[in-house]
Structures are given as C-alpha cells and as structure tokens.
C-alpha cells in the first residue's frame, strides 16, 4: 500500500481578496502557529485546514443527522460525542439527537460501512465543513466519520456568547496507516478499565492500533483455555480473561482501533517457564520475576514440546484476536542459557545454523509456519531480522530510523518505536520531532511505502494503573500528530500550545493524567501539612521531573513489581510546564540583540519563587514528613541552583561579569544540583541556569563577537560535564 500523498502546506490559500487580507494581518502568528493562535486547538492537525470567520452555535437544540442504516457504529459514535459535549458544556442536549438533514446542526454523510473490524490501510479520510448555519462531515467510510467527529469535537469551545464550533474547511487523511500505542500489561498489571479509557484517548487523537504486550518475565496476562497453567502460575491472578479480550476488541473496533497482541518469545519468557520449566533452556525451577532488566530464561528451540505448547496456544490466540498481525516479540535474548546448554549448541552445529541468531531464525520460521496456518503475519522487534526471515514479517524498530530504513531496503515493512519510548520520561517536544521517515531519508517510493508508521511504547516498569495515564498523556497526542499529520507540521511551540488544550479534553474522557498527582501527594501526606508547606510541595512536584532514560532503577534499586508507585518520581510529570517555560524564556533572553529587562525580571521572579519552594521542602516539609528526605535534598539543590541563577541574572543586569573563578564555582554548585537520589527526580531547568551563568561570565565579549558567535560560545561554556551516572 502506498502512503497518502500529502500537500506541502497545511494551508490551501483561497482566492478571495478579503480572506487574503485577513491572512496577511495574521501572518505572524500563522508563521509561528500553523493553525493560528486564537483558533481552536486541533491535534493532530488536519492535512488541509482553513479557518474561516464565524462559528456554529452549540446550544440546547444541537442535533445531528446521520446515516444510521450504513453502520450502527456511527450512531454509537454520535451518542458518545454528544455525551462528551454535554460534559464539556454542561448543556443537556435534546434526545434523540438524530434529526433530518434540513434541521440538523451537524450533518454526517457516509457512503459505505467499514468492515466491522478495522484493517490496516483502510480509508480513514473525511472532509468537514463548519459554516455558521450548519456543519457537514462527509466520509467515504465509517472510519472517516469516526476521525472527523473527533475533529469536530475539538472545534467546540466556549466564547463570550456561549459554546460554538469554529468555522472551518478541512479535508483530512492520515500520513501513516499504522499509528499505535503499545501498553505493557505484563510488568505492572493494567486492568480493563485502564485499557478502555486509554482506547478513548487513542480514538480522540486518531491512533488506530492498540498493541498489548501480554507476556513478559514479570507476568503472563492472558487466559489460555488449552493451557490454563500458564496464567494460573504466571500471573498472580492478574490476567485478561478471553471474555475481557473480546470486550476490549469490540470496544476498540467501535472506535476504529485494531488490537494487536504480543506474546514475547523466545526470551522475556520467565512467566512461561514458571509453569513449564521443562521448556526453558536451563533447568528450573522458575519464579515470576519481580524486578526489571534483561533476564536469562529463554525457551529451548530444540525442544519439540515448545512447538506443541506454542502451536496450541497461538492457535487459541489466533481465534481470539481477529487482527491478521501477531507480535511474537523476539527481543533481548541475552544468550546466556543457549550458550551454556551443550545440547542447544550441538543442535546449532548439526543444523548448520549461524550461531544463536541462526537458532532464533530457525525458531521464528517454525513460529511463522504456525502463524501461516492461522492466516497471521509475524511482527517482531529488530532482533527477528536475521538472514532467512521471510519478508512477510513486520519489523518494529526499537533501535531507530536507520535500522528501520535498512529493513525497508531489504523488503520488510516496519514500524518505528525508537524515539517514542514514553517510559523514558522525555518531554513531548523531543518525541514530536522523531519521524519514521525523516526528511533525510534516501528510501525510494517503494521502500517508503513499507514504513507503515509507528507506536508509542508504554513499558510498565514504572507505571501502575494509578499513574499510567500521566505517562501516556498528553505526550502521546504529540506522537499521534507525528503519525497522522503532514511531515512539515513540526512547530514545537505551537504543538505545546495545542497540547495544553488537548490535555484537558483528554481528561474529559475520564483519563486521570491531570488528577493522579494530587492523589499521590495525598499518599505522601500532603494533607498533614499547613497550607504554605502543602503548596510548596505541590509546586515542587510540578517543577521537577522524573529522572530520564533508565536512571530510575539506579535511584530506587529496592523497587519491585509488588511495591506501590507513590514516590515523588510518580507525582512529577515528564514535561514540567513551569520548567519548560523558564528554559524557553532564558533562550529568548540570550537570543535578543540586547537583554530584555522585563524578561530578565520575570526570570528573577521565577527563580526567587523556586528558591523559596526548595527551601520550604528541605527545611519545613521534611520536618512533618521525614519520608520525603530525598525530595527535601532535591529541594536544597533547587534552592542552590535558583540562587546561582539569580546571581547570574543580577550580573547580567549590572553589566559586571563575575571572575572566571567565580563562574567555575557557580558551575560546581550546578553540578552538585544535578545529583540524583532516591526521590528519582531531577531539576529540568538546570541547563537553562547553566546558560545564564555562562552568559554572565562571557557578557563582555558579546559586542566584539557578534550575537551568533557569542551565543555559540555561551552554549559551549554552559555544556555540562559528562555525567558519571
Ligand atoms: C525492547 O525495548 N526490548 C523492545
């Protein structure tokens, strides 16, 4: 299948002189904000979008005409949409909402029902025209109606004269056909209500694949009827029954979302061999793994029993999951058990296999034979791509766009997940700029068509049902935009502007990303504090971020699957709004031709507040809540770093550069403020404060060097020492 052709611009300039004048007057904000600040926040941005003047009132008599005879999913989607509008507006709409086209506020037209279960590459296009008298949503199939309804809901907002939908002309279709979210339900169990509310979130931002990572070392999360010992011994009783899976699949299909299951083999297999130690590559017994990392247990591909069990089990799963794709993992077999097993090594020699990789391919070929019997195609992580793998397999790349492109050159379809690892606590802006098909790609048209899209991956070492929403949302909306919208939609500031609005609309669905922090702070004891200390704790949790990458395991080595996730790292979010605002403002301060004194003063106010918050954490909060000692220590670091920043700002304002020794001493304070501890949080504004210190020290060279060279010098000076973490 070929990806949809995308026009170069998100805008179609219409030819009327009046509109042209309007656009000229708005040219600045449009340059910075593709859909224009002041307009409703759409995410993902449609392929073609023109805002027009005026709006369609949304009041009590709001009604919808829709072709209920085409597909019952459309009626259900309209019902849900009206329910969400009621929740947002507080208006109770008249029921039934359905009416004839002449009367309706929104007229939906749809030619054909999509298949009851969505398929890869199905038409998801739609057009939406909102005029003051009526809105019209046209789509060739059900999926387009579902996508267009979400866009319509994003247009409805409150103004001085009530609720209305902004007037627009939109034609829209996705850039990539596979836009997914993977949820790991193995490491930390995530029950069905978590899955359903996240399916609602996915539908809102037009994601269309839920990938359930169902088995791993820490849990076997699916009921097998042929081998019930798998979930009985491998799950602590936490698994999806087959009825629940059918419920999830129906719920997803109603929203135009496919469900792709993953059963990770032959590695990541501890939870399989708890009940079947005879199938492992080393003698057992085995227990469910409670910690995180890459472990040794791996199935023995030389054992016929492995194929009997997997034959039964995958046959059962093939009947349960309608999707034609089945993910068999294949990642991170560390080779320890295979290397140590003489029988396995002899098998490799006798069968002339290329080492352990060759044995993995042998195993995959037998898996593919099983999948073929059931009409399924194999999906796996990069590691499955070994010589001899049939090109019908799909590669999901956690290694990166180069690996994905190399696979595409060899004829494999692929999905990008490297760069979309939302468990690593990177800010949305970083994920947003990662593109499955970067502008630098040298793939030809046929190869490009093999890049099916990508998936955000919610690995669950550090998420519980209480915190998972705050790790998935709102950042995944930015990834969803990357996968749906034209490649040239890349303005990070504008993305964040829209993301803030989309985040609150995601909360309307019942997602808990905005409410979970306060619950964790309650667990941490915030109600035992007096008001000023409680407020300092709340603000502190909003300024710091969880440590990035895989650092949390080093900060909290005592953590296991069985402990609750209610630490400061769980209360903090990966994308601190005040810290990002501060860093952006420092960037602007240093970019201008002269220091903007008003900006400088506003940065001073921010740092003065942070110093006070940090001091209150370290001096007052820990007195009442001694278990927050580590957070108190980070509070002290925040205070120290803020004082450094304040001294730099004062030096900039006075025009007097500190001595080189003084500057070095300030950097030493900031190095110390970057140390991690058991709170597993860090101060994301430190790089910006380092810039201020460097700028203060080098301010006398600004005029002689010129702005650009000076800015480069400051960045060089500010670069932190290589962390010894
Ligand atoms: C992976 O991150 N091991 C797929």
């Amino acid at each position: 299948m070929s990806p949809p052709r995308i026009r170069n611009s998100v805008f179609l300039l219409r030819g009327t002189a009046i509109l042209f004048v309007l656009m000229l007057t708005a040219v600045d904000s449009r340059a910075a904000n593709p859909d224009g600040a002041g307009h409703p926040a759409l995410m993902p941005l449609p392929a073609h979008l023109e805002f027009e003047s005026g709006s369609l009132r949304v009041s009590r008599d709001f009604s919808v005409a829709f072709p209920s005879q085409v597909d019952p999913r459309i009626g259900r989607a309209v019902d849900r949409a009206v329910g969400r509008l009621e929740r947002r507006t507080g208006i109770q709409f008249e029921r039934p909402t359905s009416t004839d086209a002449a009367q309706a506020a929104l007229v939906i037209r749809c030619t054909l029902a999509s298949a009851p279960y969505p398929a890869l590459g199905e038409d998801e296009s739609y057009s939406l025209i909102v005029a003051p008298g009526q809105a019209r949503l046209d789509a060739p199939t059900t999926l387009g109606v579902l996508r267009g309804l979400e866009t319509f809901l994003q247009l409805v907002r409150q103004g001085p004269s009530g609720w209305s939908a902004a007037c627009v002309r939109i034609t829209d279709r996705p850039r990539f056909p596979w836009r997914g979210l993977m949820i790991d339900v193995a490491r930390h169990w995530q029950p069905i209500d978590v899955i359903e509310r996240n399916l609602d979130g996915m539908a809102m931002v037009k994601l269309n694949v839920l990938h359930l990572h169902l088995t791993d070392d820490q849990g076997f999360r699916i009921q097998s009827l042929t081998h019930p010992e798998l979930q009985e011994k491998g799950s602590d009783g936490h698994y999806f029954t087959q009825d629940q899976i059918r419920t999830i699949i129906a719920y997803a299909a109603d929203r135009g979302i496919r469900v792709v299951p993953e059963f990770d083999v032959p590695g990541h297999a501890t939870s399989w061999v708890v009940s079947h130690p005879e199938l492992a590559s080393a003698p057992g017994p085995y227990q469910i793994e409670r910690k995180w990392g890459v472990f040794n247990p791996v199935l023995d591909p030389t054992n016929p029993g492995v194929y009997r069990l997997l034959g039964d089990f995958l046959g059962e799963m093939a009947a349960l999951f309608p999707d034609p794709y089945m993910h068999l993992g294949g990642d991170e077999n560390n080779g320890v058990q295979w290397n140590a097993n003489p029988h396995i090594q002899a098998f490799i020699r006798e069968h002339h296999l290329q080492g352990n990789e060759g044995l993995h391919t042998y195993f995959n070929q037998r898996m593919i034979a099983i999948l073929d019997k059931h009409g399924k195609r194999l999906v796996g992580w990069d590691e499955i791509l070994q010589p001899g793998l049939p090109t019908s397999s799909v590669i999901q790349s956690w290694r990166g766009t180069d690996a994905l492109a190399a696979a595409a050159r060899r004829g494999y379809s692929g999905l990008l997940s490297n760069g979309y690892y939302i468990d690593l606590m990177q800010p949305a802006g970083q994920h947003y700029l990662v593109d499955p098909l970067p502008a630098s790609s040298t793939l030809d048209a046929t190869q490009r068509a093999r890049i099916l899209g990508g998936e955000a991956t919610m690995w669950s070492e550090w998420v519980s049902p209480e915190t998972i929403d705050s790790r998935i949302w709102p950042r995944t909306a930015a990834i969803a935009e990357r996968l749906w919208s034209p490649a040239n939609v890349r303005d990070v500031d504008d993305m964040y502007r829209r993301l803030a609005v989309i985040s609150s609309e995601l909360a309307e669905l019942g997602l808990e990303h905005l409410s979970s922090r306060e619950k964790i702070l309650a667990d941490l004891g915030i109600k035992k504090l007096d008001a000023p200390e409680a407020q300092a704790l709340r603000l502190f949790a909003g300024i710091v971020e969880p440590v990035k990458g895989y650092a949390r395991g080093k900060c909290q080595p005592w953590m296991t699957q069985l402990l609750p996730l209610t630490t400061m790292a769980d209360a903090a979010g990966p994308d601190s709004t005040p810290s990002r605002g501060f860093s952006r403002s420092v960037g602007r301060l240093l970019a201008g031709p002269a220091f903007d004194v008003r900006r400088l003063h506003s940065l001073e106010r921010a740092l003065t507040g942070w110093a006070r918050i940090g001091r209150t954490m370290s001096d007052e909060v820990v007195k009442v809540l001694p278990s927050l000692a580590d957070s108190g220590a980070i509070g002290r670091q925040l205070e120290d770093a803020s004082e450094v920043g304040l001294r730099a700002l004062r030096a900039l304002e006075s025009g007097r550069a500190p001595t080189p020794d003084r500057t070095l001493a300030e950097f030493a304070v900031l190095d110390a403020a970057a140390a991690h501890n058991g709170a597993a949080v860090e101060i994301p504004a430190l790089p910006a404060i380092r810039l201020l210190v460097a700028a203060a020290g080098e301010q006398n060279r600004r005029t002689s060097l010129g702005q650009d060279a000076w800015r480069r010098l400051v960045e060089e000076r500010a670069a932190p020492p290589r962390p010894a973490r």
Side-chain angles (χ1 to χ4, degrees):
M1 129 206 17
S2 62
R5 289 170 60 82
I6 302 297
R7 294 178 63 97
N8 273 339
S9 163
V10 273
F11 293 108
L12 272 176
L13 289 188
R14 295 179 76 226
T16 72
I18 290 175
L19 188 63
F20 191 53
V21 170
L22 281 175
M23 296 189 82
L24 276 183
T25 58
V27 77
D28 275 347
S29 66
R30 277 173 183 269
N33 308 298
D35 73 339
H39 288 306
L42 297 179
M43 186 170 273
L45 272 182
H48 307 290
L49 163 67
E50 297 164 66
F51 281 107
E52 298 188 325
S53 57
S55 62
L56 170 73
R57 260 176 74 78
V58 174
S59 49
R60 246 186 79 75
D61 57 358
F62 179 82
S63 61
V64 186
F66 58 89
S68 51
Q69 75 292 353
V70 171
D71 188 339
R73 268 187 293 185
I74 294 175
R76 291 197 292 270
V78 167
D79 259 358
R80 289 195 301 270
V82 170
R84 281 160 63 188
L85 278 182
E86 285 178 336
R87 180 163 174 166
R88 186 182 309 171
T89 62
I91 300 169
Q92 187 175 350
F93 299 110
E94 283 166 12
R95 306 282 176 138
T97 49
S98 162
T99 182
D100 62 78
Q103 305 295 319
L106 170 62
V107 179
I108 298 174
R109 292 199 305 212
C110 175
T111 320
L112 278 176
S114 307
Y117 181 81
L120 174 66
E122 258 189 280
D123 191 338
E124 298 176 85
S125 70
Y126 67 93
S127 75
L128 175 63
I129 298 173
V130 179
Q134 195 170 60
R136 260 189 37 205
L137 168 59
D138 286 277
T141 66
T142 312
L143 290 185
V145 172
L146 299 179
R147 308 300 176 238
L149 261 178
E150 295 294 344
T151 306
F152 180 79
L153 287 177
Q154 292 182 1
L155 290 168
V156 176
R157 57 183 187 161
Q158 192 164 203
S161 53
W163 291 88
S164 63
C167 288
V168 280
R169 303 178 76 85
I170 287 170
T171 55
D172 201 7
R173 62 191 305 185
R175 180 174 169 218
F176 292 107
W178 188 312
R179 306 178 306 279
L181 168 64
M182 188 213 77
I183 300 182
D184 169 6
V185 298
R187 290 179 172 83
H188 273 99
W189 167 237
Q190 308 294 334
I192 189 165
D193 58 321
V194 171
I195 302 302
E196 288 186 347
R197 68 186 189 235
N198 278 285
L199 280 165
D200 287 332
M202 290 174 67
M204 186 180 137
V205 296
K206 302 182 173 58
L207 290 174
N208 67 354
V209 181
L210 171 68
H211 164 176
L212 288 174
H213 182 81
L214 287 162
T215 69
D216 213 304
D217 297 299
Q218 297 82 358
F220 196 96
R221 305 298 184 191
I222 177 92
Q223 178 187 32
S224 169
L225 299 174
T226 58
H227 290 277
E229 69 279 7
L230 287 167
Q231 75 271 6
E232 281 164 8
K233 297 211 171 127
S235 75
D236 302 305
H238 297 311
Y239 60 88
F240 293 125
T241 64
Q242 296 202 357
D243 273 347
Q244 285 179 321
I245 290 291
R246 280 186 278 272
T247 301
I248 288 171
I249 290 167
Y251 195 95
D254 230 27
R255 289 152 181 77
I257 297 173
R258 301 163 45 212
V259 179
V260 174
E262 178 183 352
F263 315 104
D264 203 348
V265 285
H268 285 273
T270 308
S271 70
W272 296 78
V273 297
V274 171
S275 59
H276 284 278
E278 77 285 3
L279 301 184
S281 304
Y286 293 95
Q287 288 170 346
I288 297 172
E289 188 54 63
R290 302 301 182 189
K291 291 203 150 194
W292 322 126
V294 175
F295 301 98
N296 298 343
V298 55
L299 299 178
D300 176 359
T302 73
N303 184 339
V306 164
Y307 304 102
R308 279 196 296 274
L309 176 79
L310 284 169
D312 293 346
F313 175 77
L314 294 179
E316 195 183 349
M317 293 301 118
L320 179 61
F321 289 90
D323 205 86
Y325 290 84
M326 187 169 274
H327 202 308
L328 297 185
D331 56 320
E332 294 185 313
N333 169 22
N334 65 12
V336 169
Q337 287 195 347
W338 285 0
N339 290 339
N341 183 322
H343 172 75
I344 289 176
Q345 293 304 314
F347 185 95
I348 289 174
R349 284 191 301 277
E350 283 155 21
H351 288 75
H352 309 292
L353 303 176
Q354 296 298 308
N356 288 348
E357 283 79 20
L359 183 62
H360 189 187
T361 301
Y362 168 88
F363 173 80
N364 280 335
Q365 279 161 346
R366 297 198 59 171
M367 291 298 102
I368 289 167
I370 295 172
L371 296 189
D372 273 350
K373 237 179 30 198
H374 301 288
K376 306 289 183 186
R377 282 176 68 172
L378 174 71
V379 188
W381 300 102
D382 296 272
E383 287 93 326
I384 70 165
L385 182 42
Q386 300 294 340
L389 183 79
T391 51
S392 56
S393 311
V394 175
I395 308 301
Q396 180 163 15
S397 186
W398 65 287
R399 291 184 175 155
T401 48
D402 288 351
L404 193 63
R409 281 199 184 86
R410 291 167 58 183
Y412 297 93
S413 297
L415 304 166
L416 185 66
S417 276
N418 177 288
Y420 304 141
Y421 264 44
I422 51 178
D423 59 314
L424 301 185
M425 298 292 148
Q426 309 293 350
Q430 197 162 321
H431 296 302
Y432 186 60
L433 294 178
V434 175
D435 195 313
L437 266 172
S440 58
S441 172
T442 55
L443 296 182
D444 66 27
T446 308
Q447 295 159 349
R448 293 170 80 88
R450 295 189 184 123
I451 308 296
L452 301 177
E455 288 187 358
T457 47
M458 185 70 267
W459 299 105
S460 65
E461 283 92 339
W462 301 105
V463 292
S464 66
E466 291 75 31
T467 64
I468 190 167
D469 297 2
S470 73
R471 274 47 188 150
I472 297 177
W473 308 108
R475 290 178 302 156
T476 295
I479 298 171
E481 174 156 290
R482 174 60 46 236
L483 297 174
W484 176 283
S485 302
N488 64 351
V489 175
R490 290 177 68 83
D491 181 327
V492 172
D493 284 345
D494 185 61
M495 179 276 288
Y496 274 116
R497 176 186 70 77
R498 290 177 288 120
L499 192 65
V501 180
I502 293 303
S503 182
S504 73
E505 290 174 7
L506 284 162
E508 288 169 11
L509 294 168
L511 285 160
E512 298 177 358
H513 57 296
L514 298 180
S515 55
S516 65
R517 174 175 302 160
E518 201 60 28
K519 285 192 203 150
I520 295 169
L521 293 178
D523 286 334
L524 292 176
I526 195 169
K527 303 291 182 208
K528 297 173 189 153
L529 298 172
D530 290 339
E533 285 77 29
Q535 188 60 359
L537 175 56
R538 193 172 283 119
L539 293 171
F540 178 80
I543 293 167
V544 294
E545 291 179 0
V547 293
K548 313 289 173 186
Y550 296 99
R552 186 163 174 186
K554 297 196 181 82
C555 294
Q556 300 182 334
W558 62 85
M559 274 289 189
T560 76
Q561 182 190 46
L562 304 174
L563 277 168
L565 291 172
T566 52
T567 70
M568 186 54 72
D570 303 298
D575 215 343
S576 158
T577 302
S579 294
R580 190 179 63 252
F582 177 86
S583 301
R584 208 163 138 248
S585 190
V586 167
R588 301 233 162 126
L589 180 80
L590 302 183
F595 294 125
D596 171 349
V597 174
R598 272 187 32 216
R599 187 180 291 284
L600 197 145
H601 286 168
S602 107
L603 289 169
E604 270 182 1
R605 279 193 300 279
L607 288 176
T608 304
W610 289 2
R612 190 172 55 242
I613 290 163
R615 192 159 51 245
T616 307
M617 283 297 299
S618 66
D619 293 354
E620 307 300 332
V621 172
V622 295
K623 274 190 206 145
V624 184
L625 303 173
S627 62
L628 289 182
D630 280 335
S631 294
I634 303 288
R636 177 74 66 205
Q637 294 174 356
L638 177 64
E639 181 189 3
D640 292 347
S642 301
E643 298 290 359
V644 169
L646 282 168
R647 286 193 288 275
L649 287 170
R650 283 185 212 115
L652 285 169
E653 192 170 13
S654 71
R656 281 195 297 276
T659 63
D661 280 354
R662 184 72 229 151
T663 298
L664 280 178
E666 297 290 55
F667 278 135
V669 175
L670 296 179
D671 294 345
H676 294 164
N677 66 20
V681 293
E682 62 186 34
I683 303 164
L686 286 180
I689 298 176
R690 296 186 77 92
L691 282 174
L692 290 177
V693 172
E698 301 293 346
Q699 60 182 303
N700 295 337
R701 298 172 71 184
R702 192 177 193 187
T703 314
S704 60
L705 281 176
Q707 174 62 24
D708 289 348
W710 179 77
R711 179 65 210 239
R712 280 195 298 278
L713 174 75
V714 166
E715 278 169 13
E716 217 170 90
R717 291 277 191 271
R722 290 178 67 83
R725 281 172 198 146

